[in-house]
């Protein structure tokens, strides 16, 4: 019935793709600003602990189910179900994952579109087209529609080329570029006046700020940042060869994700204080550091403006970094519904990609036209409700429903003798009991 399935050609290819999915706006924008808003290193610490103790086990559930099933989330969860009820809930959760991944992409593409527009801005400036610069960096509906369309088109082009020639090739190309750009920018910013004050704000813990709310924010951040709950990691796992050790690859993905989030903080916080030194406001009227769109779209551009011509190149490097980070994440989101269309509806990839991509772009457009009413709503529905609840479902499927011998057999592939490791002694219980309870507790806390 189905065409031959794609597969990553190497474990490096998988690693770049999965790390590319994980590393995105959530790391470079979300993490540093969460840190700034939540007591500096106290948040960093909470995040590190939760990333390894909660997000990593959940990531392992997705990767293992995906590689075992070699199918999208709907078929994968139905496949490990043991009776009609669990089959029904498997299908429901799988379908939920597809809807939530698509919703995340619909708002993510808008934000990424802003990044593309701001990347083009300095080129227009170099060409002396000041009117164009104003349009590009203004906030009109036409600008937003245009650049969301451009970014969505880029995402579709990559996904239409398939797993190895699209996802793997582009992630392997873009991830090293991302790291180089990030490091260059850090070196530059840290030599500017004011940077050290930013480093201090980033790294000095204020433990009095430890609170349940901080833990909830840190958990949400870890879940979003590792792309959990919506089947992205599950589908990437389904393209992974049986020769690789899953616990090892999962740990590497977590390390890269956490490492890049931490490193991005070394850029963003110092850059804010450099901007302050150069005369830009970095505190909102409420006395808090500006963290939302104002940070990336006003504070940092104002800083680049004070740097003269050099600032144009710094701006190009910075927004190129943002676009790359967004693109390696957006392709993983689009792959979720596309894989479903290919495998469940039998549509060829070349057709499935534009079909699904255009539907999601239509949702983005509705959000753009009703920005104030819809943007925040879609963000919180998908990331504060959808992701944690689906995360719980995935843990329940891995921990309670899936037969333990099959689970072990899958983990043993690429990791012979795993049954004698600490991982096997702890993880199955962990994913069975600790993960769902912790996620639910945090969910209840955040909803109340
Ligand atoms: N992890 C991505 C980021 O940090 C976002 C993402 C969420 C990607 C869910 C895929 C699925 O930006």
């Amino acid at each position: 019935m189905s065409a031959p399935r794609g597969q990553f050609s190497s474990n490096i290819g998988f690693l770049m793709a999965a790390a590319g999915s994980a590393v995105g706006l959530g790391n470079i924008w979300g993490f540093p600003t969460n840190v700034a808003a939540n007591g500096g290193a106290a948040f960093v610490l909470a995040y590190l602990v939760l990333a390894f103790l909660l997000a990593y086990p959940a990531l392992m559930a997705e990767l293992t189910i995906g590689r075992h099933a070699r199918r999208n989330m709907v078929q994968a969860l139905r496949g490990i179900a043991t009776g009609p009820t669990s089959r029904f809930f498997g299908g429901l959760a799988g379908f939920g994952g597809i809807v939530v991944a698509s919703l995340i992409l619909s708002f993510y593409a808008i934000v990424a579109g802003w990044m593309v527009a701001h990347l083009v801005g300095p080129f227009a400036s170099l060409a002396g087209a000041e009117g164009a610069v104003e349009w590009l960096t203004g906030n009109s509906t036409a600008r937003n529609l245009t650049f969301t369309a451009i970014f969505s088109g880029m995402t579709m082009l990559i996904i239409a080329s398939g797993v190895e020639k699209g996802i793997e090739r582009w992630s392997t190309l873009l991830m090293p570029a991302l790291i180089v750009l990030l490091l260059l920018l850090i070196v530059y910013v840290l030599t500017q006046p004011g940077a050290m004050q930013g480093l201090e704000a980033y790294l000095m813990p204020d433990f009095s700020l430890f609170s349940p709310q901080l833990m909830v924010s840190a958990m949400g951040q870890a879940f979003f940042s590792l792309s959990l709950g919506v089947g992205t990691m599950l589908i990437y796992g389904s393209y992974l060869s049986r020769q690789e050790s899953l616990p090892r690859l999962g740990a590497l993905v977590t390390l890269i994700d956490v490492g890049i989030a931490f490193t991005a903080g070394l850029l963003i916080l110092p850059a804010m204080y450099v901007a302050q030194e150069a005369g830009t406001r970095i505190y909102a009227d409420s006395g808090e550091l500006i963290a939302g769109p104002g940070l990336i779209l006003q504070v940092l551009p104002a800083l680049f403006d004070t740097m003269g011509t050099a600032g144009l190149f710094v701006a190009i490097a910075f927004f190129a970094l943002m676009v790359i980070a967004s693109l390696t994440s957006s392709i993983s989101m689009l792959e979720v519904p596309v894989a479903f269309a290919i495998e469940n509806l039998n549509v060829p990839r070349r057709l499935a990609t534009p079909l699904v991509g255009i539907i999601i772009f239509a949702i983005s457009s509705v959000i753009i036209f009703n920005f104030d009413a819809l943007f925040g709503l879609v963000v919180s529905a998908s990331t504060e409700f959808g992701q944690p609840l689906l995360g719980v479902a995935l843990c329940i499927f891995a921990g309670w429903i899936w037969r333990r011998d099959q689970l072990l057999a899958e983990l043993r592939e690429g990791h012979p003798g795993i049954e004698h490791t600490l991982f096997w002694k702890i993880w199955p219980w962990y994913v069975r009991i600790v993960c769902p309870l912790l996620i639910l507790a945090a969910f209840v806390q955040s909803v109340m």
Side-chain angles (χ1 to χ4, degrees):
M1 148 203 135
S2 51
R5 263 187 127 241
Q7 185 164 330
F8 291 115
S9 71
S10 66
N11 61 358
I12 291 294
F14 165 81
L15 206 57
M16 290 296 120
S21 167
V23 173
L25 296 173
N27 300 60
I28 299 178
W29 180 347
F31 177 74
T33 51
N34 250 322
V35 172
N38 288 292
F43 184 87
V44 178
L45 204 69
Y47 174 74
L48 287 179
V49 171
L50 286 172
F52 284 99
L53 290 191
L54 188 69
Y56 169 67
L59 169 67
M60 285 307 303
E62 280 201 40
L63 290 179
T64 316
I65 294 176
R67 194 179 68 171
H68 168 78
R70 301 217 156 283
R71 283 285 175 272
N72 66 79
M73 189 162 158
V74 172
Q75 292 189 349
L77 294 186
R78 284 168 66 86
I80 59 175
T82 44
T85 318
S86 55
R87 262 179 86 77
F88 171 77
F89 280 105
L92 195 68
F95 203 71
I98 288 161
V99 171
V100 175
S102 306
L103 283 179
I104 294 180
L105 179 53
S106 73
F107 78 76
Y108 207 84
I110 299 174
V111 179
W114 298 340
M115 301 300 132
V116 181
H118 279 261
L119 171 61
V120 179
F123 290 101
S125 195
L126 284 170
E130 285 313 317
V133 176
E134 221 165 278
W135 185 75
L136 286 164
T137 54
N139 192 21
S140 64
T141 302
R143 195 278 314 251
N144 290 341
L145 277 177
T146 310
F147 282 90
T148 303
I150 292 175
F151 182 81
S152 305
M154 286 156 54
T155 306
M156 287 185 237
L157 277 179
I158 297 180
I159 286 304
S161 306
V163 179
E164 197 184 330
K165 296 219 169 65
I167 298 173
E168 176 170 351
R169 188 167 61 154
W170 281 95
S171 304
T172 322
L173 206 75
L174 293 176
M175 284 304 285
L178 177 142
I179 293 174
V180 170
L181 280 175
L182 181 61
L183 294 179
L184 283 177
L185 282 163
I186 290 177
V187 170
Y188 182 77
V189 165
L190 286 186
T191 57
Q192 304 296 307
M196 290 308 136
Q197 208 189 333
L199 266 192
E200 214 170 283
Y202 181 40
L203 297 175
M204 292 299 276
D206 179 353
F207 288 111
S208 66
L209 288 170
F210 252 121
S211 65
Q213 196 42 49
L214 179 142
M215 296 303 280
V216 172
S217 306
M219 194 199 82
Q221 176 65 33
F223 246 71
F224 184 75
S225 189
L226 269 174
S227 314
L228 295 177
V230 294
T232 44
M233 289 301 181
L234 188 151
I235 198 77
Y236 276 13
S238 80
Y239 300 138
L240 183 58
S241 114
R242 290 232 151 83
Q243 272 134 33
E244 318 293 348
S245 156
L246 285 176
R248 210 169 292 143
L249 282 178
L252 276 173
V253 172
T254 311
L255 265 179
I256 296 176
D257 186 53
V258 169
I260 292 194
F262 183 77
T263 312
L266 298 175
L267 170 66
I268 303 292
L269 272 289
M272 291 186 80
Y273 285 83
V274 172
Q276 185 179 35
E277 191 79 19
T280 306
R281 262 184 82 195
I282 64 169
Y283 290 95
D285 291 334
S286 58
E288 281 169 8
L289 277 171
I290 296 175
L295 166 62
I296 303 289
L297 302 178
Q298 277 142 30
V299 174
L300 297 184
L303 167 65
F304 303 148
D305 278 347
T306 63
M307 296 173 169
T309 317
L312 289 179
F313 293 99
V314 179
I316 290 173
F318 178 74
F319 286 108
L321 171 75
M322 297 301 254
V323 171
I324 292 174
S326 311
L327 196 58
T328 52
S329 297
S330 64
I331 55 178
S332 73
M333 298 171 203
L334 182 58
E335 181 62 15
V336 172
V338 166
F340 172 79
I342 296 173
E343 290 172 356
N344 285 45
L345 311 176
N346 254 326
V347 187
R349 179 177 286 273
R350 296 255 162 207
L351 190 62
T353 309
L355 276 180
V356 174
I358 286 170
I359 294 175
I360 296 175
F361 174 68
I363 303 176
S364 303
S365 307
V366 173
I367 299 176
I368 290 173
F369 280 114
N370 304 280
F371 194 85
D372 293 337
L374 289 183
F375 185 80
L377 190 71
V378 175
V379 173
S380 64
S382 55
T383 63
E384 287 165 24
F385 286 80
Q387 273 192 296
L389 291 181
L390 290 166
V392 171
L394 279 157
C395 289
I396 289 176
F397 267 84
W400 293 90
I401 294 175
W402 196 5
R403 278 182 28 210
R404 193 59 72 92
D405 55 333
Q406 285 187 351
L407 172 63
L408 178 59
E410 184 56 48
L411 283 166
R412 238 194 234 129
E413 301 271 357
H415 202 133
I418 194 160
E419 61 274 31
H420 306 301
T421 59
L422 195 61
F423 179 85
W424 181 252
K425 295 203 171 76
I426 297 175
W427 179 75
W429 289 101
Y430 210 86
V431 81
R432 198 174 177 159
I433 295 170
V434 183
C435 282
L437 284 181
L438 272 180
I439 300 171
L440 277 179
F443 176 73
V444 169
Q445 165 85 20
S446 78
V447 173
M448 309 218 310

